[in-house]
Amino acid sequence: MSKKTLSTKLRSPALMLALCAAFDTRAQTVTTDDGSTANTALERAVTALVVERTDLDASGAVAPATFGGSEFNRDFLRGFKNDSASRNGHRDYGYLGTECICAVEAIEVLKGPASALYGNGKPGGDLNTIEKLPGLKDYRNISLFTTSPGMTRARLDVADVVDDVAYRVNAQAYTGSTYADLNKRDSVIVAPVVEWRVTRDLKIKASYNGGYVNMTWNPQFLANQALLSVPATRFLGEASNKTRIVDNTARVSLEYQLNSSTQLRQAFFFQSESFSDKGLTYDTYNYALSDLVDAAGNVKRVSQRDRSDQNIFVSQSEILGRTRLASVPLDYLLGVEVGRFHYRYKLEVGSAASINLYHPVYGASMSSALDTLADQAYGTDNVVLYSQNRFQLSQHLRLLLGVRAEHYRNYLQDVGESRSEFSDSLFSPRVGMTYQLHPQWIAALSWTNSSRPQIGAKSATGKLFKPEAGTQTEGSLQYTAPDESLKTTTSVFSITRKNVLTQDLTSPAFQIDSGRRHSRGVEQDLSYSFTPALKLDLSAAYTDASVSQDTVLPVGALLAGVPKWFSSVYLGYDLSPAWSVGAGYVFESRRNATLPSNGVVLPTMSSVDLTATYKTKKWSVDVTLVNIGNRLGYTSDGYTVTPINPRELQINARYKF
């Protein structure tokens, strides 16, 4: 399957303005979801990914789609946890729920000032999802997908335009067995979007993402050498283990063109989700990771039941436009964000039978006597003023100045205890500059500051923690060939995060906010068209992420789960108008599984996927072989260790009707 060009549904002016600081505007022919083409000016991000399963796996910029929970969300960006996202260039918290990738057109990896427009505590980067928007006339698409383990998926994509109203409905249903032993999944998700052109200047858009997931709760693996020695298919829970997720996410936006140079935008986001697990899992409550498996291979387990409920509401009001300030052209964005985040969490555990790691025998039941280990409610309320301004100082020089001022109130209450609250104000500036050295060369420098409240934790004295702060300095050089056959960007960055939680030596069961972490590295992104039919996408990165200050951890200790070396390659070739093939390769170097390190090191991980596509005007068939070498590899979020897919055959057939 050839790698498609990024669709032009980058309709958010906020994102467009943010990207202007680091990237040039270039006219480009793009391919839309219905196969048509159009010329448009596109603010090209460093890394732009089309949401096709093989492309995602090969790119490495997002984790491969999984059979549980969120369908994408790479664990780390530039060495730090990826715990936020944008949607259509606007701040969005859908990543906290079960977002359906069926409604996503593309995923972008934003870097530099563009990633910190909304000050989310991640100056190093962010993910922006571009949803499948309405506007297609009389469009209907159905697809059926199956895998060799026995998972089957059906998707429907229907769109039309009726007078001033355009709609699009995406839906999918999963059922069947995953690659892990005794693991099954059933889920249904529906994602409609409606856009109403009320007048020539006023547009209202409403979208919804909702559904449920019922699946086997798989404890996966942890940083224990014995656990990592067994096949990825090994399941150490019970067939009765259950996970259930019910998600409802709604978005509404109003865009009003005040005049030819000024636009107003009002956006609302609401999410309500419940998540529950119950079954047998590892006993990390009474044993260290290294002691989970005894000499005979018996894995110590507990009965566990946990439930969380979250409710999120966000309102964002923005004005953006173009004017002149002292004869200098200025693109500006001013915004106000009001948000409320509320979480309720309860955890209960009890005794359970062990299971043998090498010869598992299933059938153990949950204990009827469970003790409550946690029962708490926590969250935050915030009000934010933010601004991003781009000045065109000369034909070749652009300056971006941004700032975010936030006031928030965190709260936490354990059942039976008094409520703890903490309020603070944050100020997060950022500056970026680009200079066009040559028609084909652009240089960029940026300094980004961001802050993020820390919720859900308190000190030994019962006080909540001050926010975590981050700063990044970045320089980049971008080259685009005159015929656009070659596009390459080299970036160098240095990130510091302070006020990181670390152990309180006077009260070891609690934490204090005096830790610091540092990440520095070099990244290379390249896209090259050998011919119109043969295209290559390549990404490579060196990241040195370590502890720079802590009460317990040694300075220089490497952060868990972060590979120093990462690379990905995707090569696509159109053999004919009907046939195309592709190959993707991902590599991650060795990395520590935990921090502090317990001696377990995740081995080098590499995987190759192959795909072939046959298509006509009405239908197409993709055949993909995932992990053709059946290599054993793991990804890590710094604690949980997840095996990559074993070798798997996937077939996806699509039909337009």
Side-chain angles (χ1 to χ4, degrees), residues 13 34 155 159 328 340 350-351 605:
D34 63 351
R155 280 183 179 171
V328 176
R340 166 163 286 188
S351 61
M605 187 273 287

Side-chain angles (χ1 to χ4, degrees), residues 337-358:
E337 175 184 321
V338 178
R340 166 163 286 188
F341 311 84
H342 178 77
Y343 304 87
R344 177 68 190 272
Y345 177 70
K346 185 175 183 179
L347 170 65
E348 301 170 286
V349 298
S351 61
S354 299
I355 190 170
N356 190 268
L357 178 65
Y358 307 107

